[in-house]
Amino acid sequence: MSLPASVTVQDERGNFVFVNDAAAAQFNMSAHDIVGAVPGAAFRCKELNDRRDIVAGVLQSGRVRTSEERIRTDLASKVYLTTHRPVQVSNRQLLLSSSIDVSQQKAIEEELFRCAYYDELTDLPTRRVIEQCVGSLIREQGSSARFAMAFLDIDNFKHINDYYGHASGDALLVEVARRLSLGLRDTDMLSRISGDEFLLLLNPIRNEAEVADYIEFLLQRLKAPFFIDGSELFASASIGVSIYPDHGGDYEMLRQNADIAMYRVKNETKGAAVLFNDGMQQEALARMAIEQSLRLAILDKRFCCAFQPKVDIRTQQVRGIEALVRLRDDDGVIQAPGTFIDLAVELGLIDELTHLVLAEIMKSIDLIDDTFGTGVSISINVAAKQAGNLAFMTSFAQALEETGCPTRFIVEVTEDAFVAKTHFQTEILPILRRLGVGVSIDDFGIGYSSLSALADITADEIKIDRSFIVDIHKRPRSQGILKAIESLSEALGMTVIAEGVETFEELAYLQAATRIKYAQGFYFSKPVFLEELTTGSAAMSDSRAASVSRPVQESRPAYSRARGFGR
Ligand code: C2E
Ligand code: MG
Ligand code: MG
């Protein structure tokens, strides 16, 4: 009898009286051996013995019983859905069992379950699992429960991904997960809740000090180098901690507050941990308010540009100007980019903002020429993230071309854009080159700062970060670094600009001890609003810059509008 389903018939004592071919194959025995077995003797196949054991129970109940059977033979492991049905045949009570192979459906089901509840990369439980676990802990133990939730975010993970590639990023995540899981108790749980974010449940806890000690221990454990793909990587995590019931009565509140605490660490030291407190809640609300007003400001185009000249330090001539964006907030107060650029990048608003800056510049182009001299170069800052984004840079290059004077523009990007594994060097630079748009490396020295990487970079200009220029006349170490950058840049044909010159002494050092030709800084001019210059207002500089006091220097070269910014 050849049926797709396997069928067996057993008598009331459990002995097999009929076994079809499919059933014989299911147990990896011949039908003859099963039916002809000595009554009551044990089979080699455990599942056949199990079948014998259930007969009495099913026949007595008189009811159909369905169950899943996992059968492992020498050949395979399969799952069957088996129905046992009591039947009466000429006064004999028999058990008719039929099975169908559901291995494939079962495998899919198990895969779906794993996907929903376990992270594929690290094999850690997902957000859903830790959420349910915390939920049931609170339901079952109420306010007598005391546990901690730690929100961990790997620092600069994006950089690691960009610089070493996604495969190394993934390998790092797996290794971080392994280190964090070491020695956890059965009642603790580590979950990967998204990209580089982990949530750790520590349950139960006795007090805050105990939690702080353990988290500190984890931070130390993460500090040891990771060996990935032949490279030695260093990683750290920022951690925010909330405690039940003090910082929230449910999962969502606890997660959110741990996240807020983590965010605080990110913005300050990184690689550290902090416990949530109510003050942080206020900060988070303030941040949300900025976020809201930023979105509104972009809608209302409430941006303006301040311009700061790049000056020839020996002739005081203006070589170019840099456009620095400012935001007029809801109350009309001017905000410097430090308060909103990172947020604009994070919220995906930066591309629109950069286009607005260019539009602003073009609106004032005649005024720019009148103020600083016809044809001065105009620098625009582009965030590293944008610089590697082919779609944005293509549209931005097109906008630069449409100005009719693309060769006047210089795009300022930080080193990250060059070293990150993005399209910048290979695809975007050639587009800018074709248009004659200049490229400048901004804030050099505080990013990867690799002098050897400089050799691969094809930029027109390099701007040495202000941190090297501050008190340069008194700092031999910075002087040495400056010299090295200077000679390398010279060899590579890049113009060097010293950023943030504030004092006469700094300038005097640059003039006397270096061949650096250009500088930018409050000593020459703070960023200025053009309207203020033309209306002859005394307040020539923007609100933030104005708060920095200018040195009173008799010997300071008069740098004024009267000299027409070098005209
Ligand atoms: P940056 O491109 O390095 O610009 C130089 C910053 O240093 C400006 O700050 C300028 O006001 C300040 N600065 C200039 N001279 C001195 C000095 O002598 N002393 C001191 N203490 N500071 C000086 P600002 O305008 O606040 O801009 C900060 C950063 O924001 C810029 O740094 C740039 O990275 C970014 N940014 C500005 N505008 C834009 C923009 O339109 N798009 C993007 N993506 N970023 C922008
Ligand atoms: Mg800049
Ligand atoms: Mg800079």
Side-chain angles (χ1 to χ4, degrees):
M1 178 158 126
S2 172
L3 277 175
S6 66
V7 177
T8 60
V9 178
Q10 289 166 268
D11 65 17
E12 49 273 80
R13 288 192 304 278
N15 296 318
F16 288 88
V17 294
F18 173 77
V19 173
N20 76 345
D21 291 345
Q26 177 180 344
F27 297 109
N28 194 27
M29 281 177 73
S30 73
H32 179 264
D33 286 348
I34 301 175
V35 175
V38 178
F43 286 103
R44 193 162 34 89
C45 173
K46 174 182 170 297
E47 288 78 12
L48 280 174
N49 296 326
D50 292 347
R51 283 261 177 122
R52 202 142 56 182
D53 294 345
I54 62 165
V55 171
V58 179
L59 291 184
Q60 228 163 43
S61 78
R63 277 204 293 272
V64 174
R65 183 195 289 185
T66 301
S67 62
E68 239 172 47
E69 281 178 304
R70 187 175 286 277
I71 299 184
R72 280 184 203 83
T73 64
D74 299 341
L75 298 177
S77 165
K78 293 200 163 181
V79 183
Y80 294 88
L81 190 65
T82 303
T83 305
H84 304 284
R85 190 181 300 276
V87 288
Q88 185 119 18
V89 177
S90 41
N91 284 339
R92 281 187 78 186
Q93 283 273 49
L94 298 175
L95 183 72
L96 173 67
S97 305
S98 61
S99 306
I100 46 166
D101 182 348
V102 292
S103 308
Q104 222 165 7
Q105 289 97 305
K106 201 69 197 157
I108 295 172
E109 237 174 74
E110 280 170 10
E111 188 52 32
L112 285 176
F113 179 85
R114 280 207 77 73
C115 286
Y117 295 102
Y118 289 88
D119 171 43
E120 203 181 330
L121 180 69
T122 58
D123 217 24
L124 290 177
T126 58
R127 182 182 52 77
R128 212 187 276 189
V129 180
I130 197 164
E131 181 173 357
Q132 275 173 14
C133 174
V134 169
S136 57
L137 236 163
I138 295 174
R139 266 195 314 280
E140 283 158 22
Q141 301 183 17
S143 57
S144 66
R146 199 155 164 77
F147 60 85
M149 284 211 339
F151 195 112
L152 294 96
D153 185 296
I154 302 178
D155 298 325
N156 303 324
F157 184 68
K158 207 190 105 30
H159 276 155
I160 293 170
N161 250 342
D162 287 347
Y163 194 71
Y164 295 97
H166 285 266
S168 296
D170 282 356
L172 178 70
L173 286 174
V174 170
E175 189 50 24
V176 165
R178 198 188 63 77
R179 285 194 195 176
L180 293 174
S181 309
L182 281 177
L184 289 182
R185 302 168 293 186
D186 288 347
T187 47
D188 298 330
M189 182 182 282
L190 177 68
S191 158
R192 179 177 175 221
I193 55 171
S194 72
D196 62 343
E197 291 175 339
F198 296 85
L199 204 54
L200 174 63
L201 166 71
L202 294 174
N203 170 53
I205 56 160
R206 278 191 297 256
N207 51 44
E208 283 177 12
E210 179 194 60
V211 177
D213 283 351
Y214 189 72
I215 298 286
E216 184 52 40
F217 165 71
L218 286 184
L219 285 171
Q220 293 308 325
R221 196 188 263 173
L222 290 179
K223 279 200 177 132
F226 292 86
F227 295 97
I228 286 166
D229 229 11
S231 300
E232 193 180 20
L233 296 190
F234 287 89
S236 64
S238 296
I239 306 181
V241 181
S242 63
I243 286 179
Y244 177 84
D246 313 9
H247 304 139
D250 59 23
Y251 166 84
E252 195 42 42
M253 200 67 193
L254 290 162
R255 187 206 55 78
Q256 192 180 316
N257 287 341
D259 188 4
I260 288 173
M262 186 282 295
Y263 193 81
R264 157 70 87 84
V265 179
K266 269 281 180 241
N267 278 340
E268 289 178 357
T269 40
K270 290 198 178 144
V274 76
L275 185 66
F276 173 80
N277 65 46
D278 290 340
M280 292 179 191
Q281 179 85 45
Q282 300 307 318
E283 279 172 33
L285 288 174
R287 188 179 116 87
M288 268 158 62
I290 296 182
E291 191 175 314
Q292 189 61 16
S293 76
L294 186 58
R295 286 184 192 280
L296 277 176
I298 287 190
L299 275 180
D300 304 346
K301 300 194 175 7
R302 265 186 287 116
F303 287 94
C304 49
C305 284
F307 296 94
Q308 189 181 36
K310 297 178 180 174
V311 181
D312 182 318
I313 59 176
R314 293 179 179 84
T315 65
Q316 314 303 315
Q317 295 280 313
V318 174
R319 169 197 163 86
I321 52 165
E322 175 175 9
L324 295 160
V325 70
R326 301 288 180 263
L327 159 71
R328 245 182 259 280
D329 71 12
D330 302 342
D331 307 321
V333 178
I334 303 279
Q335 301 280 348
T339 58
F340 61 84
I341 287 285
D342 287 349
L343 195 58
V345 172
E346 201 179 298
L347 298 175
L349 300 170
I350 190 73
D351 294 350
E352 209 171 333
L353 183 72
T354 309
H355 277 290
L356 282 180
V357 168
L358 180 60
E360 268 305 298
I361 293 171
M362 290 318 291
K363 248 195 266 167
S364 320
I365 194 81
D366 291 339
L367 205 49
I368 287 174
D369 285 345
D370 286 349
T371 314
F372 299 104
T374 321
V376 288
S377 67
I378 304 166
S379 295
I380 299 193
N381 290 283
V382 165
K385 187 169 179 185
Q386 301 175 280
N389 175 346
L390 188 60
F392 166 73
M393 287 306 281
T394 309
S395 82
F396 189 57
Q398 191 183 341
L400 287 168
E401 188 172 14
E402 283 164 7
T403 62
C405 52
T407 54
R408 288 189 70 172
F409 286 96
I410 298 176
V411 170
E412 290 195 7
V413 288
T414 51
E415 288 158 82
D416 316 20
F418 289 89
V419 290
K421 285 192 175 139
T422 63
H423 307 281
F424 187 69
Q425 279 267 56
T426 51
E427 291 173 65
I428 292 163
L429 263 181
I431 301 176
L432 298 176
R433 292 258 170 268
R434 221 173 20 251
L435 294 177
V437 172
V439 175
S440 172
I441 309 170
D442 206 351
D443 305 339
F444 186 80
I446 54 166
Y448 289 96
S449 312
S450 151
L451 285 180
S452 58
L454 259 191
D456 296 329
I457 294 176
T458 40
D460 305 283
E461 181 183 274
I462 179 163
K463 300 181 76 174
I464 299 177
D465 191 69
R466 183 175 123 72
S467 52
F468 291 95
I469 308 299
V470 176
D471 288 337
I472 181 79
H473 52 289
K474 295 194 258 183
R475 292 162 61 206
R477 229 178 101 77
S478 292
Q479 292 169 5
I481 295 172
L482 201 61
K483 288 237 163 61
I485 301 174
E486 188 192 330
S487 28
L488 199 58
S489 313
E490 248 176 23
L492 297 169
M494 290 192 272
T495 307
V496 182
I497 300 198
E499 288 195 279
V501 173
E502 283 189 7
T503 68
F504 174 73
E505 289 80 5
E506 289 161 358
L507 173 67
Y509 175 84
L510 293 177
Q511 286 174 331
T514 74
R515 287 186 304 279
I516 291 174
K517 246 185 115 180
Y518 301 100
Q520 211 178 318
F522 294 172
Y523 179 78
F524 303 102
S525 169
K526 292 168 189 166
V528 291
F529 289 123
L530 297 177
E531 320 82 75
E532 289 177 351
L533 289 178
T534 48
T535 53
S537 154
M540 274 188 24
S541 46
D542 70 16
S543 59
R544 193 187 68 114
S547 65
V548 179
S549 64
R550 277 182 152 191
V552 183
Q553 274 290 342
E554 284 208 325
S555 57
R556 185 169 73 85
Y559 187 82
S560 67
R561 268 179 67 211
R563 289 185 58 162
F565 282 107
R567 291 179 73 200

